[in-house]
Amino acid sequence: MLSQRLTRWTSRALLTRVRVPLARPAISQIQVRHRLCSSCASANPVPAKPPAAAPDHRDLGTQQELFMTSIYSPGSPIFLPNGARIFNRLVEYLRKQYVHYGFQEVITPTIYKKALWAKSGHLENYADDMFTVTSTSPSRADVTEAGEVDEYGLKPMNCPGHCLIFAAQKRSYRDLPIRYADFSPLHRNEISGALSGLTRVRRFHQDDGHIFCRPNQIEDEISKTLEFIRRVYKDFRLGSYRLKLSTRPENHIGSLEDWEHAEGSLKRALDNSGEPWTLNEGDGAFYGPKIDVILKDSDGKEHQTATIQLDFQLPKRFELEYQAPAPGLEAKGETTTDPELLAVSGPVRPVMIHRAVLGSAERMFALLIEHYIGKWPFWLNPRQGIVLTVNDSEPVLQFARKTQNVLLGTDSADAGVHVSPSGLAVDLDDSARSLSLKIREAKTKGYGMIIVVGPKDIAHGTVTVDATGGLQTGDKPAQKNLVMSPEELLQFMKTKVDAYE
């Protein structure tokens, strides 16, 4: 506390002067300045600055208003409007890729009866990581045949639900491969002390996919999935990653012949991919070998993101099958032209491939935040553009609002006509503040394009654009002072989005 001792002087003008003694700084806080000659300076070099702290997605997420957490739902991130924009763009990006790679999207329940988890094996091997759901109203609770209240479980993964879909119809070898994709939220009961931002959560979304294929299609499906991963990581500019093949553990199910065939298919697919990979012997899942994609974050810590796993167990547990000629050879992945063998058809167990390209969308979101250090490429930027007014005159305000509506795709003059939103994120600042202040604020917030509207622009029906904001990823350098009509600017912005720039 400062001393309250005051010294007061009073003049005829009744002026009062107050002197307050200042607190003495600690010795460690005192900076002593020396006048040094050149020889002394070289002998006493200026200490190097400490290395900058690695970017933290939790801090950047708060600064950019991307997500928040709440004590009322630990481990369940709440995406704010800016974060929801990025999350939805990640999902829409994958949906476009699904068309190319032959995946069909399905929507499955969030909770299933305990009986399903017993059938899939999760109740036996994964119960501690699952949430149980029961009814608080006895009159509404489901009852088992034994008269007990039936319990439900929040799903920690989508594979049992996809097995139900496959089993719902009779399948032929001509139908395979069948590829399902699912963005349903998943829940896993992580230990509270391990929860952290978006990287360790209890509720998350996985770009979950399951491929049901014939044994002789394994290698081709693995190759396509590796190509899928390569394309996605290139578009996100995530840099290099490493592939790891984990093989048969001591405790496993399935015959050695099945394992050798599956591991051989994965090795050949990895060799043909041209990507470097390492062998992790004996670390596969008990139900099949797997390939993991390992990515480093900005702090050098490694994260397992994408994964490809072969599964021998679930098809057996759910008694999945398809009809094929020469079923004995079909099950071994072999073919024949013998008409006698081909004349006999029978059931064959499909191979199930689990695959996730991003892995947990939340974890990938965190890695992207730190990778870009909050400076997003235009197509992912939650603040793609902002329209700024030079003054607050009515003609300028009207043209600014029209420009925003054109860019948003909501400029239809007819109220009865259905609008076709562009999907762009464009804001408007028509406040009476100075233009320089508004530009400075827009740059601080990370807008990809700053669009200025003034009296001169109105006369020509154009706007002035600074396209240097955000992360620049195109082949040509971004430009300032671009002059174009709102309609031309709309096409310019769409082109960047379509090119994932």
Side-chain angles (χ1 to χ4, degrees):
M1 295 289 293
L2 296 180
S3 171
Q4 299 300 312
R5 185 182 58 181
L6 305 179
T7 303
R8 188 185 300 261
W9 294 269
T10 306
S11 67
R12 289 182 182 180
L14 298 177
L15 295 177
T16 301
R17 182 177 180 184
V18 180
R19 183 176 63 193
V20 182
L22 297 177
R24 184 182 299 275
I27 293 176
S28 61
Q29 296 174 319
I30 298 176
Q31 294 182 352
V32 183
R33 297 179 180 272
H34 298 279
R35 292 182 178 272
L36 298 175
C37 63
S38 58
S39 60
C40 295
S42 60
N44 299 277
V46 178
K49 292 183 179 180
D56 190 320
H57 77 278
R58 294 167 295 185
D59 296 333
L60 291 168
T62 300
Q63 293 169 14
Q64 296 198 324
E65 300 176 333
L66 301 178
F67 69 93
M68 60 175 279
T69 57
S70 170
I71 60 172
Y72 296 105
S73 188
S76 299
I78 300 172
F79 286 106
L80 303 175
N82 286 340
R85 287 172 180 171
I86 297 175
F87 181 88
N88 288 334
R89 288 188 186 128
L90 293 175
V91 172
E92 288 303 319
Y93 167 83
L94 287 172
R95 284 191 171 123
K96 291 179 180 179
Q97 305 308 317
Y98 286 165
V99 175
H100 177 73
Y101 289 99
F103 281 87
Q104 303 174 79
E105 188 175 345
V106 296
I107 301 173
T108 51
T110 302
I111 62 173
Y112 290 96
K113 287 186 175 182
K114 187 170 66 174
L116 178 76
W117 304 117
K119 185 172 186 175
S120 67
H122 288 91
L123 199 62
E124 178 184 353
N125 300 298
Y126 210 76
D128 290 344
D129 297 301
M130 293 179 62
F131 287 99
T132 299
V133 181
T134 57
S135 175
T136 58
S137 175
S139 63
R140 299 184 181 183
D142 292 335
V143 180
T144 65
E145 294 180 358
E148 299 176 350
V149 174
D150 212 347
E151 291 184 350
Y152 286 76
L154 284 173
K155 66 178 178 183
M157 49 197 68
N158 288 306
C159 31
H162 293 183
C163 287
L164 294 179
I165 297 174
F166 185 92
Q169 298 179 29
K170 290 184 178 181
R171 309 288 182 177
S172 165
Y173 72 98
R174 296 186 180 91
D175 300 327
L176 275 56
I178 295 175
R179 309 179 186 95
Y180 294 133
D182 202 329
F183 290 109
S184 303
L186 305 175
H187 294 80
R188 295 180 185 175
N189 192 13
E190 295 279 356
I191 300 172
S192 59
L195 301 176
S196 177
L198 297 178
T199 55
R200 290 296 297 270
V201 294
R202 287 175 173 165
R203 180 184 186 272
F204 64 99
H205 300 76
Q206 190 163 283
D207 62 315
D208 220 355
H210 293 97
I211 303 168
F212 299 91
C213 66
R214 303 165 65 185
N216 62 4
Q217 294 172 331
I218 293 175
E219 185 176 339
D220 189 45
E221 290 302 310
I222 298 298
S223 295
K224 288 179 180 177
T225 305
L226 290 172
E227 178 194 331
F228 191 174
I229 293 170
R230 182 165 51 248
R231 169 180 286 197
V232 170
Y233 283 47
K234 179 181 178 182
D235 285 342
F236 287 141
R237 295 170 176 82
L238 286 171
S240 59
Y241 55 85
R242 65 185 183 91
L243 299 171
K244 180 176 68 174
L245 172 61
S246 298
T247 57
R248 185 182 73 251
E250 288 186 12
N251 298 321
H252 62 274
I253 65 166
S255 67
L256 292 180
E257 185 180 7
D258 288 341
W259 276 88
E260 289 172 359
H261 175 70
E263 290 174 1
S265 297
L266 266 60
K267 288 177 181 178
R268 287 190 296 273
L270 285 167
D271 288 336
N272 294 333
S273 73
E275 300 284 347
W277 61 277
T278 57
L279 186 63
N280 191 22
E281 292 189 13
D283 200 39
F286 69 93
Y287 50 77
K290 62 177 183 173
I291 298 172
D292 290 327
V293 174
I294 311 298
L295 190 69
K296 280 188 178 181
D297 64 14
S298 59
D299 201 23
K301 184 179 179 181
E302 290 191 332
H303 296 269
Q304 183 256 306
T305 52
T307 186
I308 309 169
Q309 301 181 4
L310 264 62
D311 192 340
F312 303 130
Q313 180 184 21
L314 282 184
K316 291 181 179 178
R317 282 183 172 267
F318 283 87
E319 300 176 343
L320 304 183
E321 61 183 36
Y322 65 94
Q323 294 293 318
L329 294 175
E330 173 75 16
K332 297 178 181 179
E334 300 175 5
T335 59
T336 181
T337 57
D338 187 330
E340 291 186 7
L341 294 175
L342 293 175
V344 179
S345 292
V348 181
R349 193 83 67 203
V351 176
M352 186 177 186
I353 302 174
H354 306 253
R355 75 104 194 98
V357 176
L358 297 184
S360 160
E362 281 77 1
R363 181 184 298 166
M364 179 57 71
F365 198 164
L367 293 174
L368 291 174
I369 292 172
E370 296 179 2
H371 179 69
Y372 297 132
I373 318 180
K375 199 168 185 179
W376 298 93
F378 183 80
W379 74 278
L380 275 176
N381 199 333
R383 293 184 169 114
Q384 289 172 319
I386 186 169
V387 181
L388 306 180
T389 54
V390 172
N391 57 46
D392 58 351
S393 64
E394 191 57 32
V396 169
L397 294 178
Q398 287 185 1
F399 191 65
R401 291 165 189 156
K402 177 187 175 183
T403 298
Q404 183 192 30
N405 288 333
V406 168
L407 298 179
L408 294 176
T410 58
D411 60 321
S412 176
D414 229 341
V417 175
H418 291 290
V419 297
S420 179
S422 64
L424 298 171
V426 182
D427 297 325
L428 170 66
D429 185 350
D430 57 1
S431 64
R433 298 178 299 163
S434 68
L435 179 62
S436 60
L437 178 60
K438 290 192 282 190
I439 290 175
R440 185 162 61 248
E441 183 180 272
K443 288 183 177 180
T444 300
K445 290 184 175 180
Y447 280 96
M449 294 187 187
I450 298 175
I451 305 141
V452 176
V453 174
K456 293 181 181 179
D457 299 299
I458 298 174
H460 298 92
T462 58
V463 294
T464 304
V465 183
D466 178 353
T468 59
L471 182 67
Q472 301 302 319
T473 59
D475 296 330
K476 298 179 181 178
Q479 293 178 293
K480 289 186 177 181
N481 302 321
L482 295 171
V483 178
M484 59 184 75
S485 68
E487 291 76 15
E488 290 171 336
L489 177 57
L490 173 62
Q491 294 306 313
F492 178 64
M493 296 172 85
K494 281 186 171 182
T495 300
K496 290 181 73 68
V497 170
D498 292 341
Y500 303 117
E501 294 182 354

